[in-house]
Amino acid sequence: MSSETTFVDFKSDTQPTWCPGCGDFGTMNGMMKALANTGNDPDDTFIVAGIGCSGKIGTYMHSYALHGVHGRALPVGTGVKLARPDVEVMVAGGDGDGYSIGAGHFVHAVRRNVDLSYVVMDNRIYGLTKGQFSPTSREDFETATSPAGPKQPPVNPLALALAAGGTFIAQTFSSDVQRHAEIVQQAIEHDGFGFVNVFSPCVTFNDVDTYEYFRGSLVDVNEDDEVDHDPADFDQATERILDPDHEYQGVLYQDPDSVPYGDSHGLGEDMSSIPEGAPEDATDLVREFY
Amino acid sequence: MPEDLNWAIGGEAGDGIASTGKIFAQALSRAGRHVFTSKEFASRIRGGYTAYKIRTDVERVQSVVDRLDVLIALTQRTVDENVDELHPGSVVIYDGERSWEAEVPGDVVGVDVPLKHLAEQAGGAIMRNVVALGAAAAIADFPLDCLDEALRKRFGDKGEQIVDGNREAARLGAEHVREAYPDLNGRTAEYGHEYRLERTDADYVLLNGDEAVGMGALAAGCRFYAGYPITPATDVMEYLKGRIERYGGTVVQAEDELSAVNLALGAARGGARAMTATSGPGIDLMAETFGLVATSETPLVIADVMRSGPSTGMPTKQEQGDLDMLLYGGHGEVPRFVLAPTTVGECFHKTVEAFNLAERYQTPVYLVADLSLAVTERTYEPGEFDMGAVEIERGKIVDDDEVGEWLDGQGRFRPHADTEDGVSPRALPGTVGGTHMSTGLEHDELGRRTEDTDVRVRQVDKRDRKVDTAREREDWSPREFGDVDAETLVVSWGSNEGAVLEAMNLLEERGVDVRFVSVPYLFPRADLSEHVEAAERTVVVECNATGQFADVLEHDVLQRVERINKYTGVRFEADELAEEIAARVDGEHEPDTVGGSGEVQAE
């Protein structure tokens, strides 16, 4: 089936309940294209989704999937991948799920470098709970719970990933589906933790970080002729990720020597397959206690 | 005169007390003697009193008692802590050169051994505990070659020189006792004690509850373990690390317990037999995900090795205080199985069973042990762990060919199909045509979110029906002991079994008959109505303050029971338990307050 698989095969028959114009449509389309383009098949793909508008994605895609509890999608995806190296694992969530309640897991998932991809739909707002500030909201962004702005600097997810030892750090824009799909594809192909922060605008509750804003401000580090960026250059990546004046899209950093967790830990077996009784040499386990 | 010998070594944390005790326990096991050990320790690496106690007999031993025959005291505090357990004729080994003269009760026999000095003579002061082991061996007429074997096991990987040095240290300790105290046996005999650690031809294995859980997991095909270090569950993880890899599995040390249970959940969704183990504080965190495990119908084994709570409580102390949490914890109504092994050996068997139940019913299983089981090293015939008898049943996993039977009209797989027995088909990732999602949201048969009232009711009923099915299909019988016609029924759960059994022997000597029911299945559980009705009085024994299982039993049988509760942080000792039960039989005990804390034992 793989040779004929197209992105439509990754689409379920459930109609999304996202608001018309939501960035998550474009994000999801790009993910489905990337999965199809990398030769994956729904039967061999596992999507793990968190909680929030973004978390609904598992329902709208067609594959094996688990929609977990808030903030814990990365540990679930890590568990699936370690147990089943033969399965393509993609974890999806939002900025609240990944950088607030799940921030602790994010840091450790990054440094563990398990061979999976993590796509975060970053809309800089809490949408499903109807408009409270998120960890990536601007310092002066007015919401129901921050009438005068959160008055705390937003999390810089790319910097967080870089500091945690990330081996693939990228940013995309849901509206630029072509580039978004290409970059997610690179994240899938990367040997290790492929992290993609996607600007996925909320048209209902965020009137600051809009399509217009991103369209006008994003600089593509890989495609823009004015930018000479080498993703393998850690210092360049650091400079751009910490650049206070610009927002970038593209692959900001990729460690060409990345060794995924499974390789460094000698994993590779399908753990779902076990014998019908105790292992043949199990009596040796008892003998150890003599 | 008792046949068993109660031995202990105590000192400061960091003195190597636990490893020295373990060497002696292993030596006794190699000599064909039964061993039952306990530890008293603080949650720190250095400083604080710590002790390792061994009860040994040629017959089976399954509890600690309130008596010490031979004590190696590295500090005065060791003597002070144990002074109530010493008796006329007890022997205390101490090092008079370590700038203190042990103050021991007058009728206790003090044996001064220059531990440090002799250890240095053997090659290094670090071996002073082994000198003490040699001295203890000489006192109890225990063959040094058994000790040699245990020393080899402990130090073998450090080289022949280290092994030889330790052997020499033991020999010097034994020689000193024989030369300096030629009439030691005569002195203890004055008090009616003659200590002899006879050897037998029996061949035993020696292991603790955490190791038994770990071994059970490997036997049952567990391939994925995720956990966060916590006393007293860490030994499960440390046992598995280095062994699970032999079978293609892995141990992941997670960043916290939230992650640990989700890692294990992910592996289980991938089709691996997966588990995590923790203690109370970790169980609290895992409660978040427990409901998801249950509603997504994922097989998962979660071990809770209980310790004293609430909050950080007493991390190195015994308690059975998590029962309510395990039976009822988590928001909403969550089907579950709760198994509580009653002995170290049962930790193995119940772990195997937990994995089978989890997969057969696609339901989370709490495996409940406690600190007493975790830190107790106990001897068993190796046949207790019969690997040939281990059966692995994976339940309704469907393959590529079987998927077709479980599709809806539009060819979609139904992972939560509403079946007669409540158990749905399970397609593992990679199964062609089995793609599906699941979620912690209420869902339909396809795993899609729903708020449809009919579907909601059907799915709740379906999940609960799995428990009903399990009630019918599985054997939830308790373990029965003693005289079925006895007036007094004692009920207990978890690790108290051994202490109750030994208390029964003591009670029998006093003419008190007891029927004892030890409950390993807490949910689903056996109906004990007939047991309670047949008895004059029912006494529930448990290591907590409020009597959590007593409450459960009263609710089940609609009748009041009496309670023996202990929440000092120390497990029941057989002799004190016999006194407590006898007091209730003799009517000397005030009836327990309704719903209250029952009688409390102060140490």
Side-chain angles (χ1 to χ4, degrees):
Chain A
M1 183 165 161
S2 301
S3 55
E4 310 129 36
T5 304
T6 70
F7 88 101
V8 191
D9 294 309
F10 284 96
K11 201 169 162 50
S12 82
D13 50 13
T14 302
Q15 284 309 307
T17 57
W18 290 321
C19 305
C22 177
D24 293 352
F25 286 101
T27 306
M28 182 171 75
N29 283 340
M31 288 163 64
M32 295 191 297
K33 278 187 181 142
L35 282 165
N37 288 347
T38 44
N40 285 297
D41 187 291
D43 288 332
D44 299 312
T45 302
F46 202 109
I47 307 282
V48 184
I51 295 287
C53 292
S54 58
K56 297 178 177 179
I57 201 162
T59 314
Y60 308 146
M61 289 176 67
H62 173 233
S63 71
Y64 285 90
L66 185 74
H67 178 220
V69 293
H70 198 16
R72 321 286 173 230
L74 278 172
V76 174
T78 302
V80 175
K81 185 65 191 180
L82 296 183
R84 295 296 303 274
D86 56 317
V87 169
E88 184 64 45
V89 176
M90 184 177 279
V91 180
D95 41 312
D97 200 73
Y99 311 142
S100 190
I101 188 168
H105 306 310
F106 176 59
V107 168
H108 293 282
V110 167
R111 73 186 189 90
R112 236 176 239 129
N113 202 32
V114 171
D115 189 15
L116 52 82
S117 47
Y118 182 41
V119 178
V120 180
M121 284 154 261
D122 181 3
N123 55 13
R124 301 180 169 176
I125 184 78
Y126 283 160
L128 199 59
T129 48
K130 302 190 190 300
Q132 301 79 30
F133 70 90
S134 95
T136 50
S137 294
R138 299 170 191 225
E139 216 162 344
D140 58 355
F141 183 52
E142 293 171 15
T143 71
T145 52
S146 60
K151 297 182 181 176
Q152 44 194 307
V155 165
N156 179 338
L158 308 188
L160 205 52
L162 196 72
T167 59
F168 184 97
I169 300 168
Q171 194 152 259
T172 63
F173 176 32
S174 65
S175 180
D176 188 351
V177 178
Q178 168 89 16
R179 280 292 285 146
H180 165 62
E182 282 169 15
I183 291 163
V184 173
Q185 181 172 338
Q186 289 178 54
I188 293 170
E189 287 165 346
H190 174 67
D191 284 333
F193 189 82
F195 166 51
V196 184
N197 189 64
V198 190
F199 292 127
S200 188
C202 174
V203 294
T204 307
F205 295 106
N206 193 332
D207 56 4
V208 179
D209 298 297
T210 58
Y211 284 101
E212 292 68 33
Y213 164 73
F214 288 114
R215 219 169 268 140
S217 61
L218 277 177
V219 178
D220 195 314
V221 290
N222 311 121
E223 305 238 307
D224 195 317
D225 295 339
E226 316 238 315
V227 185
D228 179 24
H229 186 79
D230 175 9
D233 185 331
F234 187 85
D235 292 336
Q236 264 192 38
T238 307
E239 200 176 309
R240 297 231 149 79
I241 284 172
L242 296 177
D243 182 351
D245 302 321
H246 295 93
E247 308 237 38
Y248 294 98
Q249 84 166 6
V251 180
L252 275 298
Y253 181 67
Q254 182 169 19
D255 178 358
D257 302 319
S258 168
V259 178
Y261 184 98
D263 289 5
S264 60
H265 288 72
L267 305 182
E269 285 188 37
D270 170 356
M271 295 184 193
S272 70
S273 170
I274 54 171
E276 286 171 7
E280 274 180 25
D281 59 353
T283 310
D284 291 349
L285 296 170
V286 185
R287 214 166 281 142
E288 281 181 46
F289 291 114
Y290 272 123
Chain B
M1 195 175 72
E3 297 291 318
D4 61 324
L5 186 128
N6 292 278
W7 179 100
I9 178 167
E12 293 279 304
D15 278 342
I17 300 301
S19 61
T20 309
K22 179 84 184 272
I23 291 168
F24 202 57
Q26 236 144 19
L28 291 164
S29 171
R30 294 318 302 133
R33 297 185 60 87
H34 273 296
V35 165
F36 187 97
T37 78
S38 63
K39 284 181 211 167
E40 290 166 22
F41 60 104
S43 182
R44 46 187 155 179
I45 306 302
R46 276 218 158 262
Y49 164 73
T50 175
Y52 188 102
K53 297 187 175 179
I54 299 174
R55 183 150 174 245
T56 177
D57 199 336
V58 291
E59 304 293 330
R60 191 169 58 147
V61 276
Q62 44 193 345
S63 169
V64 289
V65 290
D66 199 8
R67 195 182 84 238
L68 265 182
D69 302 307
V70 178
L71 172 66
I72 299 172
L74 298 184
T75 57
Q76 178 62 40
R77 185 166 173 204
T78 306
V79 179
D80 299 342
E81 289 276 349
N82 294 286
V83 76
D84 292 344
E85 300 195 3
L86 295 171
H87 56 79
S90 293
V91 178
V92 173
I93 299 169
Y94 67 98
D95 183 354
E97 289 185 354
R98 206 192 182 191
S99 71
W100 63 287
E101 180 73 30
E103 291 173 24
V104 296
D107 47 10
V108 166
V109 181
V111 173
D112 183 352
V113 184
L115 301 176
K116 182 157 175 271
H117 174 77
L118 293 175
E120 278 164 354
Q121 210 174 309
I126 196 168
M127 295 184 289
R128 68 192 170 109
N129 291 2
V130 178
V131 175
L133 290 183
I139 287 164
D141 201 14
F142 183 63
L144 274 187
D145 55 327
C146 292
L147 196 54
D148 284 351
E149 219 180 308
L151 288 169
R152 172 166 296 284
K153 179 159 178 153
R154 173 72 179 77
F155 297 111
D157 58 355
K158 295 191 171 161
E160 211 52 36
Q161 205 182 336
I162 303 286
V163 175
D164 287 345
N166 278 285
R167 286 177 166 179
E168 177 63 7
R171 197 190 62 75
L172 289 173
E175 193 179 76
H176 176 84
V177 168
R178 277 193 293 267
E179 286 173 7
Y181 298 89
D183 190 33
L184 195 66
N185 278 345
R187 288 182 59 193
T188 60
E190 285 172 27
Y191 299 102
H193 292 282
E194 219 176 321
Y195 303 119
R196 289 198 61 216
L197 289 169
E198 281 170 43
R199 63 188 303 171
T200 78
D201 292 335
D203 228 359
Y204 298 129
V205 290
L206 179 73
L207 69 168
N208 68 37
D210 276 356
E211 290 168 334
V213 167
M215 184 165 68
L218 293 181
C222 175
R223 291 288 182 272
F224 190 92
Y225 178 97
Y228 187 76
I230 186 169
T231 302
T234 314
D235 279 358
V236 178
M237 178 155 67
E238 293 192 355
Y239 172 83
L240 288 172
K241 184 69 201 169
R243 291 184 176 86
I244 200 169
E245 295 86 349
R246 291 181 210 161
Y247 308 107
T250 196
V251 168
V252 180
Q253 181 171 314
E255 57 272 26
D256 54 37
E257 288 90 346
L258 299 164
S259 179
V261 69
N262 278 283
L263 280 156
L265 165 64
R269 294 301 299 181
R273 283 197 155 189
M275 84 174 290
T276 180
T278 185
S279 192
I283 283 293
D284 286 350
L285 294 182
M286 291 184 185
E288 180 195 56
T289 297
F290 192 74
L292 170 66
V293 179
T295 50
S296 65
E297 306 199 60
T298 308
L300 193 63
V301 176
I302 302 173
D304 177 17
V305 187
M306 295 181 291
R307 67 188 210 188
S308 228
S311 189
T312 315
M314 299 193 288
T316 61
K317 298 293 180 182
Q318 161 71 356
E319 195 164 282
Q320 298 176 302
D322 297 357
L323 180 62
D324 286 346
M325 173 70 184
L326 298 166
L327 288 176
Y328 313 115
H331 66 281
E333 296 168 309
V334 188
R336 67 193 75 195
F337 296 130
V338 185
L339 274 55
T342 53
T343 64
V344 168
E346 279 292 299
C347 284
F348 171 83
H349 298 293
K350 286 290 172 286
T351 304
V352 173
E353 201 175 338
F355 277 100
N356 282 335
L357 286 171
E359 286 209 302
R360 225 180 279 152
Y361 298 97
Q362 297 166 23
T363 298
V365 179
Y366 275 136
L367 181 72
V368 194
D370 59 37
L371 183 128
S372 291
L373 289 171
V375 302
T376 291
E377 252 101 26
R378 190 174 158 177
T379 39
Y380 283 93
E381 304 269 355
E384 170 77 16
F385 309 102
D386 180 1
M387 293 295 181
V390 171
E391 286 177 19
I392 292 179
E393 295 167 42
R394 306 211 60 189
K396 289 192 192 172
I397 294 180
V398 294
D399 60 22
D400 293 356
D401 300 326
E402 295 157 335
V403 159
E405 299 165 29
W406 295 99
L407 305 181
D408 73 353
Q410 293 174 59
R412 298 173 299 192
F413 183 68
R414 297 183 295 141
H416 301 291
D418 184 12
T419 58
E420 203 174 318
D421 61 5
V423 185
S424 308
R426 181 168 165 230
L428 307 183
T431 309
V432 176
T435 56
H436 64 270
M437 72 163 298
S438 193
T439 169
L441 289 162
E442 190 54 272
H443 43 255
D444 61 14
E445 288 194 326
L446 300 177
R448 297 175 312 182
R449 171 200 189 135
T450 186
E451 287 176 3
D452 181 288
T453 50
D454 290 341
V455 176
R456 156 71 175 177
V457 169
R458 274 208 301 278
Q459 284 293 319
V460 170
D461 290 350
K462 170 206 130 51
R463 292 192 292 265
D464 287 342
R465 200 154 60 243
K466 293 192 291 188
V467 178
D468 296 337
T469 302
R471 266 186 223 281
E472 284 167 26
R473 284 189 195 160
E474 312 290 338
D475 183 3
W476 306 102
S477 307
R479 292 152 68 85
E480 303 242 15
F481 304 93
D483 178 4
V484 289
D485 298 321
E487 290 179 354
T488 303
L489 171 68
V490 172
V491 181
S492 155
W493 63 283
S495 67
N496 310 316
E497 182 181 294
V500 176
L501 286 174
E502 295 217 348
M504 285 165 70
N505 293 339
L506 297 172
L507 288 165
E508 199 180 345
E509 288 167 18
R510 297 162 63 159
V512 178
D513 280 344
V514 167
R515 180 182 194 185
F516 172 38
V517 171
S518 179
V519 182
Y521 300 107
L522 300 174
F523 194 84
R525 59 182 170 268
D527 180 358
L528 296 181
S529 300
E530 286 179 14
H531 292 74
V532 173
E533 273 166 30
E536 286 281 299
R537 73 184 64 77
T538 299
V539 182
V540 178
V541 175
E542 55 194 316
C543 278
N544 56 42
T546 55
Q548 296 177 26
F549 190 73
D551 288 347
V552 166
L553 186 59
E554 285 184 346
H555 174 271
D556 282 357
V557 305
L558 297 176
Q559 197 172 316
R560 291 286 174 208
V561 299
E562 292 188 63
R563 297 154 190 244
I564 297 176
N565 298 90
K566 186 173 181 182
Y567 49 99
T568 56
V570 181
R571 70 177 93 191
F572 285 107
E573 288 161 350
D575 30 16
E576 67 169 356
L577 201 44
E579 290 298 326
E580 288 292 328
I581 294 169
R584 281 158 180 78
V585 172
D586 297 341
E588 290 166 6
H589 180 262
E590 297 271 318
D592 300 310
T593 49
V594 173
S597 63
E599 182 65 6
V600 171
Q601 300 201 1
E603 280 283 287

